[in-house]
Amino acid sequence: MTRPVAPATIAAKADHYVDAQSGAIVPPLNTSTTFARDTGNQPMNAGHVYARDNNPSFVQAERVLARLENGEQALLFASGMAAIAAVFYTLESGARVVLPQSMYWGVFSWTRQYCARASIAISYYAPDDAVSLRAAIQAEERTDFVWVETPSNPMMHITDIRLAAELAHAAGALLIVDNTVPTPLLTRPLELGADIVMHSATKSLNGHSDVIAGALVSRDSHPHWQRIVTERHDAGAVISPFDASMLLRGMRTVVLRVERACQNAARIARFLHQHERVEGVLYPGLESHPGHDIARQQMCGGYGSLMSFLVKGDRAETLAVIGRLQLLVRATSLGGVETLIEHRHSIEPPETGVPENLLRLAVGIEEVDDLIHDLDQALRPTA
Ligand SMILES: *Cc1c(COP(=O)(O)O)cnc(C)c1O
């Protein structure tokens, strides 16, 4: 095919999948853990020996994701955290990484513990501050990785990916971007200079809150990527065949889901922004957001389905607000078809500085007026 096709077409057709033998347009669920050898003792299908090191069931999902990110190769993992761990396991002791001081709590917490054990130094930067990013990268002679998560979770800071790539490369480091929140439909970090993109495919890529999965996508096969490929092959944090087929099915509708969730989120952000019971809204789509200009440059087609807002009142009043919700579900996670809301201060330790009156909202694809009505009745104090 000569004319490049759009992400919606790649996703809907699972990258033109047609089974060569049966003509099926959905890949068969292949649950075999082992693969036969021929009479000369060679694998019947090159590369297929044992399902922990290579598995035909996730190849197609990896192909779709690599094309959506405009990358060379994608690797699926058993979870987003397993994908992150595979990246860090390839570092030697004495390495140094540059991480945002405010980010998805699971990544912050795991990297802090792991790097301490493995004698890997961490320098932190303020994710909304280019001066701080530059200073952290240039603080020491050696830099191995620079990590970016934008918009960040749950404070919704915006980091300039293009600038981070320039600074990382000037220091001889790789830039790795957690692209879970925007998805490749809104931001393609590899096109902005990143070397590796990471996803919790548990979130918008699968989109139905029924699969735990992670992914890495590379721009090209640099030596570090080869170490990651070996790491998954040998340590074996692979996705199960069933989860891979669920993910491939989920990704067929990712374009529609992300479009609708972004539209809903934009409406809800404007509604909350003018609400008398709301102190502030953290959403990069609002012109009042300090990262709006950078977000407009590096996000296309929407500002995502995730936001946080601050209730006028204390912790007790904030918990009372979510207690009054009838349609929105009080649960962690994001990127699903159903809207979820979470009081992050109850989850993260106080040191992360998440305000007690902050609620994180992961907007789904429901009728937006229903969501707005529920939020409005919950925000109004009861007499
Ligand atoms: C959920 C999430 C992760 C972790 O992924 P799991 O699939 O839960 O292991 C990492 N980063 C971000 C931004 C996430 O939202």
Side-chain angles (χ1 to χ4, degrees):
M1 196 174 284
T2 47
R3 183 179 166 274
V5 295
T9 308
I10 296 165
K13 292 167 58 63
D15 195 23
H16 306 296
Y17 183 81
V18 177
D19 185 72
Q21 269 154 29
S22 68
I25 62 166
V26 175
L29 176 58
N30 188 329
T31 56
S32 189
T33 57
T34 190
F35 302 92
R37 290 172 180 265
D38 63 18
T39 52
N41 204 37
Q42 296 307 307
M44 288 176 62
N45 190 328
H48 291 149
V49 173
Y50 185 54
R52 170 157 41 69
D53 34 63
N54 203 346
N55 189 321
S57 66
F58 44 71
V59 170
Q60 198 62 22
E62 290 178 340
R63 236 176 238 151
V64 172
L65 183 56
R67 290 211 57 198
L68 291 178
E69 285 288 3
N70 205 3
E72 187 174 283
Q73 194 187 357
L75 291 176
L76 288 177
F77 288 82
S79 69
M81 292 309 300
I84 292 165
V87 175
F88 279 81
Y89 288 160
T90 60
L91 288 172
E92 298 147 13
S93 69
R96 187 179 73 109
V97 295
V98 173
L99 308 179
Q101 68 195 21
S102 172
M103 68 197 297
Y104 179 80
W105 167 243
V107 181
F108 186 89
S109 165
W110 183 83
T111 50
R112 189 172 54 180
Q113 294 169 50
Y114 174 71
C115 290
R117 274 199 314 276
S119 301
I120 294 164
I122 303 179
S123 300
Y124 290 103
Y125 69 94
D128 55 348
D129 180 358
V131 175
S132 162
L133 174 65
R134 186 186 302 269
I137 293 173
Q138 295 171 354
E140 310 266 345
E141 210 164 298
R142 175 172 184 173
T143 314
D144 293 76
F145 293 162
V146 176
W147 193 275
V148 164
E149 179 189 317
T150 180
S152 74
N153 198 331
M155 299 306 290
M156 307 304 292
H157 295 305
I158 297 293
T159 303
D160 185 335
I161 297 173
R162 216 185 277 275
L163 175 69
E166 272 167 32
L167 294 170
H169 294 158
L174 293 182
L175 177 67
I176 303 165
V177 177
D178 184 338
N179 204 31
T180 302
V181 170
T183 80
L185 306 165
L186 307 182
T187 305
R188 277 180 300 284
L190 301 177
E191 293 175 1
L192 300 168
D195 300 283
I196 296 174
V197 161
M198 175 262 149
H199 277 282
S200 168
T202 312
K203 314 294 167 51
S204 303
L205 288 176
N206 180 60
H208 293 76
S209 308
D210 54 7
V211 169
I212 295 276
L216 299 172
V217 189
S218 71
R219 187 152 53 97
D220 49 41
S221 18
H222 42 83
H224 206 98
W225 179 254
Q226 289 314 315
R227 291 210 283 279
I228 292 171
V229 172
T230 305
E231 178 64 33
R232 189 190 68 170
H233 181 280
D234 295 356
V238 291
I239 188 172
S240 80
F242 181 69
D243 285 347
S245 73
M246 293 277 278
L247 174 59
L248 187 63
R249 179 188 161 116
M251 283 196 295
R252 290 193 183 236
T253 56
V254 66
V255 175
L256 279 180
R257 288 186 284 98
V258 168
E259 262 174 33
R260 172 65 175 255
C262 281
Q263 287 163 12
N264 283 358
R267 275 274 311 274
I268 291 172
R270 285 196 299 274
F271 163 77
L272 291 172
H273 187 63
Q274 52 75 46
H275 200 285
E276 57 180 10
R277 302 288 307 145
V278 172
E279 194 180 288
V281 180
L282 313 179
Y283 185 64
L286 293 174
E287 277 165 24
S288 56
H289 189 285
H292 178 71
D293 285 341
I294 296 168
R296 204 179 50 218
Q297 287 161 34
Q298 66 189 21
M299 300 182 84
C300 48
Y303 294 91
S305 55
L306 192 71
M307 75 184 74
S308 294
F309 65 98
L310 303 163
V311 173
K312 263 186 201 160
D314 57 10
R315 177 191 180 89
E317 175 53 21
T318 306
L319 289 171
V321 167
I322 56 170
R324 288 193 287 266
L325 287 164
Q326 290 162 12
L327 277 180
L328 274 66
V329 179
R330 290 168 292 273
T332 197
S333 202
L334 57 112
V337 289
E338 61 291 283
T339 300
L340 306 179
I341 193 160
E342 185 174 41
H343 184 242
R344 286 301 302 176
H345 193 270
S346 302
I347 304 288
E348 301 185 17
E351 67 188 82
T352 66
V354 171
E356 288 192 319
N357 62 339
L358 179 141
L359 293 173
R360 189 186 74 183
L361 191 57
V363 178
I365 65 168
E366 302 95 329
E367 170 56 48
V368 67
D369 289 333
D370 290 338
L371 300 173
I372 286 176
H373 184 265
D374 196 27
L375 282 163
D376 191 37
Q377 66 79 22
L379 280 164
R380 266 184 271 123
T382 41

